[in-house]
Amino acid sequence: MYTFVSVWLVWIAFIVFIGGLIYRFVTLVSMAKKDKVIFPYMSLKYSLRSLVHWIIPFASRNMRMRYETTVVTFAFHLCAVLVPIFLTAHVAMIAFSWGVSWPMLSEAAADGLTIVVILAAVFFLLRRWMLPEVRFVTYPSDYLLLLVAAAPFITGFIAHRQWLDYDVIVMIHMICGAAMLILIPFTRLSHMLFFPFTRAYMGSEFGAVRNAKDW
Amino acid sequence: MALAALPKVSDPGLDETSKTLTKEQINKVINQVVDKETAARFETYLNTCVHCGLCSDACHWFLSNDRDPRFSPVGKVKQTLWEILKRKGNVDEELLRDCSRIAHTECNVCRRCSMYCPFGIDIAYLLLTVRRICSLLGVVPQFLQDTVNSHAVTMNQMWVKQDEWIDTLQWQEEDARAEVVGARIPLDKEGADVFYSVIAPEPKILAQLIGNMAQIMRVAGIDWTMPSFDGWDNSNMAMYSGDFETMGRVERAHHEAALKLKARRIVMGECGHAFRGAVYDGPKWLGWREPPIPLIHAVEFYHELITTGRIKIAKKFETPVTVQEPCNIIRGRGLGQKLREIINATCSDFRPPEPAFEHNYCCGAGGGVINCGPPWKTSRVKGNQVKAEQLAATKAKIVITPCHNCHSGIEDIIGGYKLGMHVKFFSEILIEVMEIPEELKA
């Protein structure tokens, strides 16, 4: 079981994740050709202008209107991407298998950033409950997606602290991680892939056609 | 969550037409629109939205209705498109009626929300897709549909007949000549520098605006013309009802009228939606990347006249003024700075609104909402309390609105909230302050 999860499931997850992203990207491009307005209006300059204003904290008016959401959202996304890539245990496993490695986070830093991800997920959960405009558009799938995104970090944290049966928790952790990777291309977590493209199109339309700012 | 029922508004365009439809008809149209008329934007927008609600604060309807989530941009998409897709197009007349109410009367497609969505999702486009479905099924507010019918039959919005149109221009020419010597409205002149077009409400109910323009053109020495034939009306309510076939016909007629007269450029009167239709939505539908001949809005034209000195300012307008920045020329064309410059050039006491420029609130009337007519006026005025508060805070007496929809919408808000202000088009300010050379004074 452990071997199946740690070898096969991880491989399957990465193949589905990368294959899924490629599939979604290819279908996006072919649909974009059908949607006749997209390519004629796309502009690299205005795409980048828009992206820059939306990946820098507080560079857009809406981000300045909600400081707490902006801080938490940036912290969540940054940590959720950085921790798995630079975690000592992950890097060591890859180094052990393939002989390649890269810089690692210190244990304290990894712990801290993982807690940031978990607390941010709690914040998103509370936001869904407490703000009527968010609660109104919340489906059960929104809770599920939040759980899918947070679970690898919660289980990873528990495993690292060795609070419960380590082997079981590590296995659950790997299953959660695999589930997240598999689900990214096929659920609303695909905003990871689509964010730059939706922004680029809107940025192009605002910049090149409407001569206006979109931030 | 329990939300109080919204006041019921009777509108035969929704109530009666929706009753005549079968589920099969509804399903067929939904599938046609979703499968054949939409592609990457529709799919990606729906799959990318993480239901975060961050677009809510962008919407004047949401802000003005005590933050009722039914009025947030994503809330409107939830009640319409998400519901339609969840039911796989098996939609009953009740949902269809709600879809039309929400998409046609409770969203101005002002696109402010796409500046607040972190992904830049064009929520207005999604609601226009809902309008498209409703329109193909004939479920459109009656007053709005009437203007579309008028477009389809007469190529203008208000059932103006050709003899009435020409007669009105002659009458306005005469009036203009009473103020400025030699003022003319040249009809069908070939090769003029400017082809001037207006929206049909001008000849119908605001004819003096055309007379004003005749005076301005004469003082500025512009070589201009207007067509005596179809294509003179640049407005386009079909763009907003969802009848894109009619929208395309109207836009084509407008551009072709200018081409037929071999004009060097089109100058459009002070209207926002008409400009949007001519510069963007129309060409997109017709498969043109850009309009075939250069086309500018009146604000750009006045800016040119003032900055080049063709129009000189005799005495500035002294009453405190503020501005309603029309979505379709500010957020839609970046004319905010030019509008400020012509106001500052002509008015001595300008009170800037807050928020401003691209971030200014919609007037609540645009996007075809005011054209849904009297049945929806109460909800429309209630849905823009935030605009009333914004205007009141400027303590101005006059609101300059270079857009017809804004003009009427702001007038309703001023009346509804008793703000004690007045609305003026920019040309009404310009006509008061411009210098008329001695030899042209009548």
mmCIF file of all heavy atoms in Angstrom, chain B residues 163-180 182-187 196 198 201-216 218 224 226 431:
data_model
loop_
_atom_site.group_PDB
_atom_site.id
_atom_site.type_symbol
_atom_site.label_atom_id
_atom_site.label_comp_id
_atom_site.label_asym_id
_atom_site.label_seq_id
_atom_site.Cartn_x
_atom_site.Cartn_y
_atom_site.Cartn_z
ATOM 1 N N ASP B 163 -39.347 62.214 -43.068
ATOM 2 C CA ASP B 163 -39.744 63.617 -43.247
ATOM 3 C C ASP B 163 -39.677 64.374 -41.919
ATOM 4 O O ASP B 163 -39.319 65.552 -41.881
ATOM 5 C CB ASP B 163 -41.142 63.719 -43.886
ATOM 6 C CG ASP B 163 -42.214 63.023 -43.063
ATOM 7 O OD1 ASP B 163 -41.855 62.111 -42.294
ATOM 8 O OD2 ASP B 163 -43.397 63.391 -43.182
ATOM 9 N N GLU B 164 -39.972 63.664 -40.824
ATOM 10 C CA GLU B 164 -39.871 64.316 -39.505
ATOM 11 C C GLU B 164 -38.415 64.665 -39.196
ATOM 12 O O GLU B 164 -38.109 65.719 -38.635
ATOM 13 C CB GLU B 164 -40.385 63.377 -38.401
ATOM 14 C CG GLU B 164 -41.862 63.092 -38.461
ATOM 15 C CD GLU B 164 -42.277 61.981 -37.499
ATOM 16 O OE1 GLU B 164 -41.421 61.210 -37.021
ATOM 17 O OE2 GLU B 164 -43.478 61.881 -37.238
ATOM 18 N N TRP B 165 -37.546 63.752 -39.554
ATOM 19 C CA TRP B 165 -36.109 63.959 -39.304
ATOM 20 C C TRP B 165 -35.609 65.192 -40.054
ATOM 21 O O TRP B 165 -35.011 66.099 -39.468
ATOM 22 C CB TRP B 165 -35.356 62.690 -39.713
ATOM 23 C CG TRP B 165 -33.878 62.791 -39.926
ATOM 24 C CD1 TRP B 165 -33.205 62.576 -41.078
ATOM 25 C CD2 TRP B 165 -32.881 63.136 -38.947
ATOM 26 N NE1 TRP B 165 -31.854 62.744 -40.897
ATOM 27 C CE2 TRP B 165 -31.621 63.094 -39.589
ATOM 28 C CE3 TRP B 165 -32.928 63.486 -37.599
ATOM 29 C CZ2 TRP B 165 -30.429 63.378 -38.946
ATOM 30 C CZ3 TRP B 165 -31.727 63.770 -36.944
ATOM 31 C CH2 TRP B 165 -30.508 63.713 -37.612
ATOM 32 N N ILE B 166 -35.914 65.239 -41.348
ATOM 33 C CA ILE B 166 -35.424 66.360 -42.162
ATOM 34 C C ILE B 166 -36.061 67.665 -41.690
ATOM 35 O O ILE B 166 -35.401 68.700 -41.546
ATOM 36 C CB ILE B 166 -35.714 66.108 -43.661
ATOM 37 C CG1 ILE B 166 -34.918 64.882 -44.127
ATOM 38 C CG2 ILE B 166 -35.370 67.322 -44.501
ATOM 39 C CD1 ILE B 166 -35.282 64.383 -45.516
ATOM 40 N N ASP B 167 -37.345 67.583 -41.377
ATOM 41 C CA ASP B 167 -38.070 68.758 -40.912
ATOM 42 C C ASP B 167 -37.456 69.308 -39.624
ATOM 43 O O ASP B 167 -37.294 70.518 -39.455
ATOM 44 C CB ASP B 167 -39.532 68.344 -40.676
ATOM 45 C CG ASP B 167 -40.440 69.550 -40.612
ATOM 46 O OD1 ASP B 167 -40.263 70.437 -41.460
ATOM 47 O OD2 ASP B 167 -41.298 69.597 -39.708
ATOM 48 N N THR B 168 -37.106 68.389 -38.727
ATOM 49 C CA THR B 168 -36.513 68.804 -37.452
ATOM 50 C C THR B 168 -35.174 69.495 -37.673
ATOM 51 O O THR B 168 -34.862 70.510 -37.044
ATOM 52 C CB THR B 168 -36.324 67.573 -36.531
ATOM 53 O OG1 THR B 168 -37.572 66.931 -36.388
ATOM 54 C CG2 THR B 168 -35.795 67.983 -35.167
ATOM 55 N N LEU B 169 -34.394 68.952 -38.594
ATOM 56 C CA LEU B 169 -33.090 69.571 -38.863
ATOM 57 C C LEU B 169 -33.270 70.979 -39.443
ATOM 58 O O LEU B 169 -32.554 71.910 -39.069
ATOM 59 C CB LEU B 169 -32.278 68.706 -39.840
ATOM 60 C CG LEU B 169 -31.862 67.322 -39.330
ATOM 61 C CD1 LEU B 169 -30.998 66.613 -40.365
ATOM 62 C CD2 LEU B 169 -31.108 67.409 -38.015
ATOM 63 N N GLN B 170 -34.252 71.121 -40.319
ATOM 64 C CA GLN B 170 -34.474 72.453 -40.909
ATOM 65 C C GLN B 170 -34.943 73.449 -39.856
ATOM 66 O O GLN B 170 -34.521 74.602 -39.837
ATOM 67 C CB GLN B 170 -35.485 72.341 -42.053
ATOM 68 C CG GLN B 170 -34.848 71.662 -43.266
ATOM 69 C CD GLN B 170 -35.805 71.474 -44.430
ATOM 70 O OE1 GLN B 170 -37.014 71.488 -44.239
ATOM 71 N NE2 GLN B 170 -35.270 71.286 -45.612
ATOM 72 N N TRP B 171 -35.794 72.955 -38.988
ATOM 73 C CA TRP B 171 -36.280 73.807 -37.897
ATOM 74 C C TRP B 171 -35.109 74.223 -36.991
ATOM 75 O O TRP B 171 -34.965 75.391 -36.616
ATOM 76 C CB TRP B 171 -37.368 73.023 -37.135
ATOM 77 C CG TRP B 171 -37.614 73.407 -35.712
ATOM 78 C CD1 TRP B 171 -37.765 74.661 -35.218
ATOM 79 C CD2 TRP B 171 -37.754 72.512 -34.599
ATOM 80 N NE1 TRP B 171 -37.984 74.609 -33.858
ATOM 81 C CE2 TRP B 171 -37.984 73.303 -33.454
ATOM 82 C CE3 TRP B 171 -37.725 71.138 -34.460
ATOM 83 C CZ2 TRP B 171 -38.165 72.757 -32.184
ATOM 84 C CZ3 TRP B 171 -37.918 70.592 -33.196
ATOM 85 C CH2 TRP B 171 -38.127 71.392 -32.084
ATOM 86 N N GLN B 172 -34.245 73.268 -36.676
ATOM 87 C CA GLN B 172 -33.110 73.584 -35.808
ATOM 88 C C GLN B 172 -32.108 74.495 -36.508
ATOM 89 O O GLN B 172 -31.476 75.338 -35.880
ATOM 90 C CB GLN B 172 -32.436 72.292 -35.325
ATOM 91 C CG GLN B 172 -33.181 71.633 -34.174
ATOM 92 C CD GLN B 172 -33.451 72.591 -33.031
ATOM 93 O OE1 GLN B 172 -32.570 73.316 -32.580
ATOM 94 N NE2 GLN B 172 -34.700 72.645 -32.573
ATOM 95 N N GLU B 173 -31.978 74.335 -37.808
ATOM 96 C CA GLU B 173 -31.086 75.221 -38.560
ATOM 97 C C GLU B 173 -31.587 76.661 -38.453
ATOM 98 O O GLU B 173 -30.815 77.585 -38.215
ATOM 99 C CB GLU B 173 -31.039 74.772 -40.020
ATOM 100 C CG GLU B 173 -30.090 75.592 -40.864
ATOM 101 C CD GLU B 173 -30.037 75.082 -42.309
ATOM 102 O OE1 GLU B 173 -30.866 75.525 -43.127
ATOM 103 O OE2 GLU B 173 -29.185 74.234 -42.596
ATOM 104 N N GLU B 174 -32.872 76.797 -38.590
ATOM 105 C CA GLU B 174 -33.469 78.131 -38.500
ATOM 106 C C GLU B 174 -33.228 78.749 -37.125
ATOM 107 O O GLU B 174 -32.846 79.902 -37.001
ATOM 108 C CB GLU B 174 -34.980 77.988 -38.730
ATOM 109 C CG GLU B 174 -35.554 78.995 -39.702
ATOM 110 C CD GLU B 174 -37.016 78.679 -39.958
ATOM 111 O OE1 GLU B 174 -37.260 77.720 -40.711
ATOM 112 O OE2 GLU B 174 -37.883 79.361 -39.384
ATOM 113 N N ASP B 175 -33.446 77.930 -36.089
ATOM 114 C CA ASP B 175 -33.220 78.409 -34.725
ATOM 115 C C ASP B 175 -31.761 78.810 -34.522
ATOM 116 O O ASP B 175 -31.462 79.825 -33.895
ATOM 117 C CB ASP B 175 -33.584 77.315 -33.703
ATOM 118 C CG ASP B 175 -35.066 77.332 -33.359
ATOM 119 O OD1 ASP B 175 -35.822 78.012 -34.093
ATOM 120 O OD2 ASP B 175 -35.451 76.662 -32.380
ATOM 121 N N ALA B 176 -30.852 77.984 -35.055
ATOM 122 C CA ALA B 176 -29.420 78.271 -34.884
ATOM 123 C C ALA B 176 -29.063 79.588 -35.572
ATOM 124 O O ALA B 176 -28.251 80.372 -35.077
ATOM 125 C CB ALA B 176 -28.586 77.126 -35.448
ATOM 126 N N ARG B 177 -29.687 79.854 -36.705
ATOM 127 C CA ARG B 177 -29.394 81.084 -37.457
ATOM 128 C C ARG B 177 -29.887 82.320 -36.726
ATOM 129 O O ARG B 177 -29.428 83.427 -37.000
ATOM 130 C CB ARG B 177 -30.008 81.012 -38.851
ATOM 131 C CG ARG B 177 -29.328 79.987 -39.734
ATOM 132 C CD ARG B 177 -30.152 79.687 -40.957
ATOM 133 N NE ARG B 177 -29.924 80.661 -42.020
ATOM 134 C CZ ARG B 177 -29.019 80.497 -42.974
ATOM 135 N NH1 ARG B 177 -28.266 79.424 -42.990
ATOM 136 N NH2 ARG B 177 -28.856 81.402 -43.906
ATOM 137 N N ALA B 178 -30.829 82.105 -35.802
ATOM 138 C CA ALA B 178 -31.289 83.235 -35.001
ATOM 139 C C ALA B 178 -30.217 83.639 -33.989
ATOM 140 O O ALA B 178 -30.256 84.728 -33.423
ATOM 141 C CB ALA B 178 -32.587 82.861 -34.273
ATOM 142 N N GLU B 179 -29.253 82.761 -33.744
ATOM 143 C CA GLU B 179 -28.175 83.055 -32.787
ATOM 144 C C GLU B 179 -26.861 83.367 -33.496
ATOM 145 O O GLU B 179 -26.131 84.253 -33.086
ATOM 146 C CB GLU B 179 -27.948 81.849 -31.855
ATOM 147 C CG GLU B 179 -29.157 81.404 -31.050
ATOM 148 C CD GLU B 179 -29.591 82.433 -30.020
ATOM 149 O OE1 GLU B 179 -28.715 83.168 -29.505
ATOM 150 O OE2 GLU B 179 -30.808 82.512 -29.738
ATOM 151 N N VAL B 180 -26.558 82.565 -34.524
ATOM 152 C CA VAL B 180 -25.265 82.691 -35.203
ATOM 153 C C VAL B 180 -25.503 82.865 -36.713
ATOM 154 O O VAL B 180 -26.170 82.024 -37.327
ATOM 155 C CB VAL B 180 -24.394 81.438 -34.951
ATOM 156 C CG1 VAL B 180 -23.089 81.518 -35.738
ATOM 157 C CG2 VAL B 180 -24.098 81.275 -33.460
ATOM 158 N N GLY B 182 -25.328 82.587 -40.467
ATOM 159 C CA GLY B 182 -24.813 81.591 -41.416
ATOM 160 C C GLY B 182 -24.732 80.179 -40.880
ATOM 161 O O GLY B 182 -24.131 79.307 -41.520
ATOM 162 N N ALA B 183 -25.313 79.932 -39.695
ATOM 163 C CA ALA B 183 -25.299 78.556 -39.177
ATOM 164 C C ALA B 183 -26.110 77.671 -40.111
ATOM 165 O O ALA B 183 -27.176 78.066 -40.584
ATOM 166 C CB ALA B 183 -25.879 78.517 -37.769
ATOM 167 N N ARG B 184 -25.577 76.487 -40.407
ATOM 168 C CA ARG B 184 -26.282 75.579 -41.313
ATOM 169 C C ARG B 184 -26.183 74.150 -40.801
ATOM 170 O O ARG B 184 -25.298 73.816 -40.004
ATOM 171 C CB ARG B 184 -25.648 75.624 -42.718
ATOM 172 C CG ARG B 184 -25.938 76.873 -43.507
ATOM 173 C CD ARG B 184 -25.977 76.555 -44.986
ATOM 174 N NE ARG B 184 -26.994 75.537 -45.278
ATOM 175 C CZ ARG B 184 -26.854 74.603 -46.211
ATOM 176 N NH1 ARG B 184 -25.767 74.543 -46.950
ATOM 177 N NH2 ARG B 184 -27.817 73.721 -46.422
ATOM 178 N N ILE B 185 -27.124 73.315 -41.258
ATOM 179 C CA ILE B 185 -26.991 71.875 -41.043
ATOM 180 C C ILE B 185 -26.951 71.254 -42.437
ATOM 181 O O ILE B 185 -27.979 70.929 -43.014
ATOM 182 C CB ILE B 185 -28.172 71.309 -40.217
ATOM 183 C CG1 ILE B 185 -28.232 72.013 -38.852
ATOM 184 C CG2 ILE B 185 -28.003 69.796 -40.023
ATOM 185 C CD1 ILE B 185 -29.383 71.571 -37.958
ATOM 186 N N PRO B 186 -25.754 71.120 -43.002
ATOM 187 C CA PRO B 186 -25.670 70.654 -44.393
ATOM 188 C C PRO B 186 -26.065 69.177 -44.492
ATOM 189 O O PRO B 186 -25.485 68.334 -43.813
ATOM 190 C CB PRO B 186 -24.184 70.828 -44.738
ATOM 191 C CG PRO B 186 -23.608 71.660 -43.624
ATOM 192 C CD PRO B 186 -24.450 71.401 -42.423
ATOM 193 N N LEU B 187 -27.042 68.881 -45.328
ATOM 194 C CA LEU B 187 -27.511 67.503 -45.494
ATOM 195 C C LEU B 187 -26.813 66.845 -46.679
ATOM 196 O O LEU B 187 -26.678 67.459 -47.745
ATOM 197 C CB LEU B 187 -29.018 67.478 -45.737
ATOM 198 C CG LEU B 187 -29.922 67.760 -44.533
ATOM 199 C CD1 LEU B 187 -31.382 67.604 -44.933
ATOM 200 C CD2 LEU B 187 -29.598 66.847 -43.369
ATOM 201 N N TYR B 196 -21.682 64.065 -38.769
ATOM 202 C CA TYR B 196 -22.152 64.151 -37.394
ATOM 203 C C TYR B 196 -23.402 63.301 -37.230
ATOM 204 O O TYR B 196 -24.355 63.433 -38.003
ATOM 205 C CB TYR B 196 -22.442 65.616 -37.033
ATOM 206 C CG TYR B 196 -22.854 65.801 -35.590
ATOM 207 C CD1 TYR B 196 -21.973 65.489 -34.552
ATOM 208 C CD2 TYR B 196 -24.119 66.284 -35.261
ATOM 209 C CE1 TYR B 196 -22.350 65.639 -33.225
ATOM 210 C CE2 TYR B 196 -24.498 66.438 -33.935
ATOM 211 C CZ TYR B 196 -23.611 66.114 -32.925
ATOM 212 O OH TYR B 196 -23.982 66.260 -31.613
ATOM 213 N N VAL B 198 -26.316 61.516 -34.356
ATOM 214 C CA VAL B 198 -26.921 61.688 -33.027
ATOM 215 C C VAL B 198 -27.791 60.470 -32.727
ATOM 216 O O VAL B 198 -27.979 59.610 -33.586
ATOM 217 C CB VAL B 198 -27.800 62.957 -32.968
ATOM 218 C CG1 VAL B 198 -26.956 64.200 -33.161
ATOM 219 C CG2 VAL B 198 -28.922 62.902 -34.005
ATOM 220 N N PRO B 201 -33.471 60.123 -29.814
ATOM 221 C CA PRO B 201 -34.145 61.037 -28.879
ATOM 222 C C PRO B 201 -33.814 62.508 -29.128
ATOM 223 O O PRO B 201 -34.564 63.388 -28.697
ATOM 224 C CB PRO B 201 -33.636 60.573 -27.510
ATOM 225 C CG PRO B 201 -33.359 59.124 -27.697
ATOM 226 C CD PRO B 201 -32.807 59.030 -29.100
ATOM 227 N N GLU B 202 -32.705 62.800 -29.810
ATOM 228 C CA GLU B 202 -32.405 64.216 -30.071
ATOM 229 C C GLU B 202 -33.453 64.852 -30.984
ATOM 230 O O GLU B 202 -34.087 65.819 -30.591
ATOM 231 C CB GLU B 202 -30.974 64.398 -30.587
ATOM 232 C CG GLU B 202 -29.948 64.103 -29.497
ATOM 233 C CD GLU B 202 -28.591 64.790 -29.693
ATOM 234 O OE1 GLU B 202 -28.459 65.665 -30.564
ATOM 235 O OE2 GLU B 202 -27.655 64.437 -28.943
ATOM 236 N N PRO B 203 -33.695 64.335 -32.196
ATOM 237 C CA PRO B 203 -34.766 64.943 -32.993
ATOM 238 C C PRO B 203 -36.139 64.797 -32.340
ATOM 239 O O PRO B 203 -37.009 65.649 -32.528
ATOM 240 C CB PRO B 203 -34.704 64.177 -34.317
ATOM 241 C CG PRO B 203 -33.992 62.916 -34.025
ATOM 242 C CD PRO B 203 -33.017 63.261 -32.933
ATOM 243 N N LYS B 204 -36.332 63.744 -31.575
ATOM 244 C CA LYS B 204 -37.660 63.481 -31.026
ATOM 245 C C LYS B 204 -37.986 64.408 -29.852
ATOM 246 O O LYS B 204 -39.054 64.999 -29.799
ATOM 247 C CB LYS B 204 -37.723 62.010 -30.564
ATOM 248 C CG LYS B 204 -39.112 61.512 -30.260
ATOM 249 C CD LYS B 204 -39.813 61.033 -31.507
ATOM 250 C CE LYS B 204 -41.154 60.393 -31.184
ATOM 251 N NZ LYS B 204 -41.809 59.920 -32.404
ATOM 252 N N ILE B 205 -37.067 64.515 -28.892
ATOM 253 C CA ILE B 205 -37.423 65.273 -27.684
ATOM 254 C C ILE B 205 -36.395 66.312 -27.249
ATOM 255 O O ILE B 205 -36.664 67.110 -26.363
ATOM 256 C CB ILE B 205 -37.689 64.315 -26.482
ATOM 257 C CG1 ILE B 205 -36.551 63.310 -26.333
ATOM 258 C CG2 ILE B 205 -39.030 63.635 -26.604
ATOM 259 C CD1 ILE B 205 -36.683 62.407 -25.120
ATOM 260 N N LEU B 206 -35.204 66.301 -27.834
ATOM 261 C CA LEU B 206 -34.171 67.258 -27.410
ATOM 262 C C LEU B 206 -33.558 67.942 -28.629
ATOM 263 O O LEU B 206 -32.336 68.029 -28.789
ATOM 264 C CB LEU B 206 -33.076 66.527 -26.622
ATOM 265 C CG LEU B 206 -33.481 66.000 -25.246
ATOM 266 C CD1 LEU B 206 -32.531 64.894 -24.797
ATOM 267 C CD2 LEU B 206 -33.491 67.115 -24.214
ATOM 268 N N ALA B 207 -34.437 68.425 -29.501
ATOM 269 C CA ALA B 207 -33.976 68.922 -30.805
ATOM 270 C C ALA B 207 -33.002 70.093 -30.674
ATOM 271 O O ALA B 207 -32.123 70.270 -31.519
ATOM 272 C CB ALA B 207 -35.179 69.317 -31.648
ATOM 273 N N GLN B 208 -33.123 70.868 -29.587
ATOM 274 C CA GLN B 208 -32.247 72.044 -29.466
ATOM 275 C C GLN B 208 -30.778 71.665 -29.408
ATOM 276 O O GLN B 208 -29.904 72.473 -29.719
ATOM 277 C CB GLN B 208 -32.655 72.918 -28.273
ATOM 278 C CG GLN B 208 -32.249 72.421 -26.903
ATOM 279 C CD GLN B 208 -33.155 71.315 -26.371
ATOM 280 O OE1 GLN B 208 -34.070 70.850 -27.052
ATOM 281 N NE2 GLN B 208 -32.925 70.893 -25.139
ATOM 282 N N LEU B 209 -30.492 70.412 -29.015
ATOM 283 C CA LEU B 209 -29.081 69.984 -28.981
ATOM 284 C C LEU B 209 -28.481 69.999 -30.381
ATOM 285 O O LEU B 209 -27.298 70.294 -30.560
ATOM 286 C CB LEU B 209 -28.967 68.579 -28.374
ATOM 287 C CG LEU B 209 -29.311 68.445 -26.887
ATOM 288 C CD1 LEU B 209 -29.237 66.979 -26.472
ATOM 289 C CD2 LEU B 209 -28.397 69.297 -26.016
ATOM 290 N N ILE B 210 -29.309 69.674 -31.379
ATOM 291 C CA ILE B 210 -28.811 69.688 -32.762
ATOM 292 C C ILE B 210 -28.596 71.144 -33.203
ATOM 293 O O ILE B 210 -27.604 71.468 -33.859
ATOM 294 C CB ILE B 210 -29.794 68.954 -33.704
ATOM 295 C CG1 ILE B 210 -30.009 67.516 -33.213
ATOM 296 C CG2 ILE B 210 -29.259 68.956 -35.135
ATOM 297 C CD1 ILE B 210 -31.058 66.731 -33.994
ATOM 298 N N GLY B 211 -29.512 72.007 -32.777
ATOM 299 C CA GLY B 211 -29.349 73.434 -33.079
ATOM 300 C C GLY B 211 -28.084 73.983 -32.433
ATOM 301 O O GLY B 211 -27.331 74.753 -33.049
ATOM 302 N N ASN B 212 -27.833 73.571 -31.189
ATOM 303 C CA ASN B 212 -26.601 73.996 -30.513
ATOM 304 C C ASN B 212 -25.381 73.597 -31.327
ATOM 305 O O ASN B 212 -24.426 74.355 -31.478
ATOM 306 C CB ASN B 212 -26.487 73.324 -29.134
ATOM 307 C CG ASN B 212 -27.443 73.928 -28.113
ATOM 308 O OD1 ASN B 212 -28.099 74.927 -28.382
ATOM 309 N ND2 ASN B 212 -27.511 73.311 -26.940
ATOM 310 N N MET B 213 -25.433 72.368 -31.827
ATOM 311 C CA MET B 213 -24.277 71.858 -32.576
ATOM 312 C C MET B 213 -24.083 72.682 -33.846
ATOM 313 O O MET B 213 -22.937 72.954 -34.245
ATOM 314 C CB MET B 213 -24.489 70.376 -32.905
ATOM 315 C CG MET B 213 -23.223 69.637 -33.132
ATOM 316 S SD MET B 213 -22.141 69.787 -31.692
ATOM 317 C CE MET B 213 -20.752 68.883 -32.237
ATOM 318 N N ALA B 214 -25.190 73.080 -34.475
ATOM 319 C CA ALA B 214 -25.079 73.895 -35.691
ATOM 320 C C ALA B 214 -24.365 75.217 -35.375
ATOM 321 O O ALA B 214 -23.534 75.687 -36.156
ATOM 322 C CB ALA B 214 -26.465 74.153 -36.273
ATOM 323 N N GLN B 215 -24.663 75.779 -34.201
ATOM 324 C CA GLN B 215 -23.980 77.016 -33.807
ATOM 325 C C GLN B 215 -22.491 76.763 -33.563
ATOM 326 O O GLN B 215 -21.629 77.522 -34.017
ATOM 327 C CB GLN B 215 -24.591 77.565 -32.509
ATOM 328 C CG GLN B 215 -26.031 78.037 -32.636
ATOM 329 C CD GLN B 215 -26.530 78.607 -31.307
ATOM 330 O OE1 GLN B 215 -25.846 79.379 -30.653
ATOM 331 N NE2 GLN B 215 -27.733 78.218 -30.910
ATOM 332 N N ILE B 216 -22.201 75.691 -32.828
ATOM 333 C CA ILE B 216 -20.801 75.375 -32.504
ATOM 334 C C ILE B 216 -20.006 75.124 -33.785
ATOM 335 O O ILE B 216 -18.897 75.642 -33.962
ATOM 336 C CB ILE B 216 -20.736 74.151 -31.551
ATOM 337 C CG1 ILE B 216 -21.300 74.516 -30.180
ATOM 338 C CG2 ILE B 216 -19.311 73.620 -31.422
ATOM 339 C CD1 ILE B 216 -21.571 73.326 -29.260
ATOM 340 N N ARG B 218 -20.563 76.229 -36.764
ATOM 341 C CA ARG B 218 -20.389 77.476 -37.523
ATOM 342 C C ARG B 218 -19.282 78.338 -36.907
ATOM 343 O O ARG B 218 -18.400 78.834 -37.609
ATOM 344 C CB ARG B 218 -21.724 78.245 -37.535
ATOM 345 C CG ARG B 218 -21.662 79.639 -38.096
ATOM 346 C CD ARG B 218 -21.303 79.645 -39.568
ATOM 347 N NE ARG B 218 -21.339 80.991 -40.116
ATOM 348 C CZ ARG B 218 -20.521 81.431 -41.053
ATOM 349 N NH1 ARG B 218 -19.606 80.623 -41.574
ATOM 350 N NH2 ARG B 218 -20.619 82.666 -41.507
ATOM 351 N N TRP B 224 -18.986 70.177 -42.234
ATOM 352 C CA TRP B 224 -19.680 69.005 -41.678
ATOM 353 C C TRP B 224 -20.948 68.677 -42.438
ATOM 354 O O TRP B 224 -21.412 69.457 -43.269
ATOM 355 C CB TRP B 224 -19.989 69.219 -40.190
ATOM 356 C CG TRP B 224 -21.062 70.252 -39.896
ATOM 357 C CD1 TRP B 224 -21.052 71.565 -40.270
ATOM 358 C CD2 TRP B 224 -22.268 70.032 -39.169
ATOM 359 N NE1 TRP B 224 -22.185 72.190 -39.808
ATOM 360 C CE2 TRP B 224 -22.956 71.276 -39.124
ATOM 361 C CE3 TRP B 224 -22.849 68.938 -38.533
ATOM 362 C CZ2 TRP B 224 -24.186 71.435 -38.475
ATOM 363 C CZ3 TRP B 224 -24.069 69.110 -37.888
ATOM 364 C CH2 TRP B 224 -24.718 70.335 -37.869
ATOM 365 N N MET B 226 -24.804 66.030 -42.156
ATOM 366 C CA MET B 226 -25.621 64.975 -41.552
ATOM 367 C C MET B 226 -26.387 64.306 -42.683
ATOM 368 O O MET B 226 -26.701 64.953 -43.682
ATOM 369 C CB MET B 226 -26.596 65.557 -40.515
ATOM 370 C CG MET B 226 -25.898 66.118 -39.284
ATOM 371 S SD MET B 226 -27.045 66.719 -38.026
ATOM 372 C CE MET B 226 -27.219 65.266 -36.998
ATOM 373 N N ILE B 431 -22.119 76.223 -25.267
ATOM 374 C CA ILE B 431 -22.898 77.224 -26.002
ATOM 375 C C ILE B 431 -23.041 78.509 -25.162
ATOM 376 O O ILE B 431 -23.106 79.605 -25.690
ATOM 377 C CB ILE B 431 -24.280 76.629 -26.393
ATOM 378 C CG1 ILE B 431 -24.810 77.279 -27.657
ATOM 379 C CG2 ILE B 431 -25.307 76.744 -25.306
ATOM 380 C CD1 ILE B 431 -24.381 76.593 -28.892
#
